[in-house]
Amino acid sequence: MLWSVQRFPRTAVRSAAVTLALASAVLGLTAPSQASPASGGAPAAVAAAGATATSTVGGAISRAEIVSRAEYWVAQQVPYSQTNYYRDPQGRPYRTDCSGLVSMAWHLGTSATTWTLPDYSSRLGDLDDLQPGDALNDVNSHVVLFVGWTNSARTTANIIEHARPGTVARRGQYTRSYIQAQGFRPYRYHKVTESPVPVPDKGMTNITPVGDVNGDGAPDVIAVETATGDLFRYLGPGYGGSTRTKIGHGWNSISDIVGIGDLTGDGTADALAVEAETGDLYRYSGPGFGGSTKVKIGTNWDSMAQLTPIGDVTGDGHPDLIAVERSSGDLYRYSGPGFGGGTRVKIGHGWNTYHTLVGPGDLTGDGVADLLAVHAETGELFRYSGPGYGGSTKVKIGTNWDSMTNLTGIGDLTGDGVPDLLAVDAATQKLYRYTGPGFGGSTRVQIGTKW
């Protein structure tokens, strides 16, 4: 229902033939014939080959039919509108905006909104779980229909969307980094007929530094196992499987985990976590981070992305946090220990161009924590200097960092007095250590597998 011009990525591909050929090859669809542009309420002839319904309104539906129904509006060049309606191949009218297109493709009994589509679907655990006919939904802004990945590395998705006024239903492509940066979540319609394809264990996610838990002088991390939602602790400096200890379960309900330092004054590092369904912010106390230590300290944090610890930049003795507002791309600093709205200070804008932010510590030797940022479109790595992280402090220090995930500022692992960085190669799931302050490829050392 909602729309934003920011939802049309510069990388979107308008080649209808390429995307339709993919859908036809994967799903056995026949290309729909082109028709003249549609008017808001005019009857639609059933012109799209392969769009004949085997489903009923609100009933079970195959993936092939979902994609074919969406392709029908593409073929009819249906114009975007939040007030007009256009018919599906069987004559049922649906609203001609982004959520109306998905509602029509799923053959719902109503034109849902971005906010109500989750009522008809289940959120998937990972982008890699997506199958043709699923949806990518940011409930605050935009939803598109997923058609398939363009390559085995799953770096770019073919989609069908109604983008904004002045456009028609169309095919396009979203890069994975764009999907992540813009806050899209994967959803599957409850009544799709094919069983979900089993997804292999994709390793660990939300790798989070938690300080030196066991007192050996090396920083440790916690991480969530993607396949199970179990929480594990790994001991540094090697983070090998032999050091792995399960300390919790059910953490796949959490969208963001942040190792924030000691908030309670007990000498042990704590963690912040955002609950995916509610957007509530919770504090968990270390070293176990058990449910009995869980304390709710905030709401509406699903409106923020890239929660990143930066240490105490305000000098009040408490750790601080920065985060990007999804709707505006503005950068805000929040002061601990409560991180309430009253402590929120805007310190930048345009930060939705980055899909990863990392607080590695002080890289420049000025005594103030710095910030690393990976550009969503180029994969370039930039360093910003605190405490303001203004554009005048921006320095490019690397390239091709869009191939890495779970970038984690881990502190000094090598004993040279400079913070280091952990990162996982998305293609191989290998864990690497990079040495600061430059984190160049020559400093890269593999220290783990199956991450």
Side-chain angles (χ1 to χ4, degrees), residues 48 60 80 83 116 132 138 148 168 184 194 217 260 295 316-317 365 396 413 437:
Y80 180 101
T83 57
T116 59
D138 175 358
V168 297
F184 284 103
E194 287 92 347
I260 196 62
V295 178
D316 63 358
K396 178 180 171 180
L413 291 177

Side-chain angles (χ1 to χ4, degrees), residues 4 34 79 94 111 130 151 163 185 210 218 224 233 247 267 273 301 317-318 409 421 449:
S4 167
Q34 292 295 317
Y94 291 87
S111 295
L130 283 164
N151 53 41
R185 305 298 190 210
V210 291
V224 179
R233 185 183 64 230
I247 60 174
W301 279 82
H318 298 293
L421 187 70
T449 59

Side-chain angles (χ1 to χ4, degrees), residues 347-367:
I347 58 174
H349 63 275
W351 283 79
N352 50 359
T353 58
Y354 297 106
H355 70 63
T356 300
L357 300 183
V358 182
D362 179 17
L363 297 174
T364 59
D366 63 356

Side-chain angles (χ1 to χ4, degrees), residues 7 123 127 136-142 176-187 302-306 326-327 352 354-355:
R7 289 306 187 190
R123 182 170 162 181
L127 293 179
L136 288 164
N137 190 7
D138 175 358
V139 297
N140 293 308
S141 183
H142 191 43
R176 190 185 188 101
S177 59
Y178 179 84
I179 291 168
Q180 293 170 325
Q182 297 301 320
F184 284 103
R185 305 298 190 210
Y187 286 87
D302 50 352
S303 66
M304 308 300 293
Q306 306 297 341
R326 294 186 189 277
S327 61
N352 50 359
Y354 297 106
H355 70 63

Side-chain angles (χ1 to χ4, degrees), residues 379-400:
E380 293 171 330
L381 181 68
F382 294 92
R383 185 192 73 226
Y384 287 80
S385 296
Y389 310 106
S392 62
T393 71
K394 176 179 174 178
V395 178
K396 178 180 171 180
I397 61 173
T399 59
N400 300 319

Side-chain angles (χ1 to χ4, degrees), residues 19-20 22-24 27 29 32 50-51 61-74 104-106 131-134 145-148 160:
T19 305
L20 181 55
L22 174 73
S24 300
L27 298 171
L29 302 180
I61 187 170
S62 71
R63 297 190 180 281
E65 187 179 344
I66 289 174
V67 175
S68 182
R69 288 171 63 85
E71 290 282 6
Y72 176 69
W73 272 17
V74 174
M104 185 276 295
W106 285 354
Q131 297 181 58
D134 293 337
L145 192 76
F146 176 81
V147 176
I160 297 175

Side-chain angles (χ1 to χ4, degrees), residues 33-50:
S33 59
Q34 292 295 317
S36 59
S39 59
V46 183

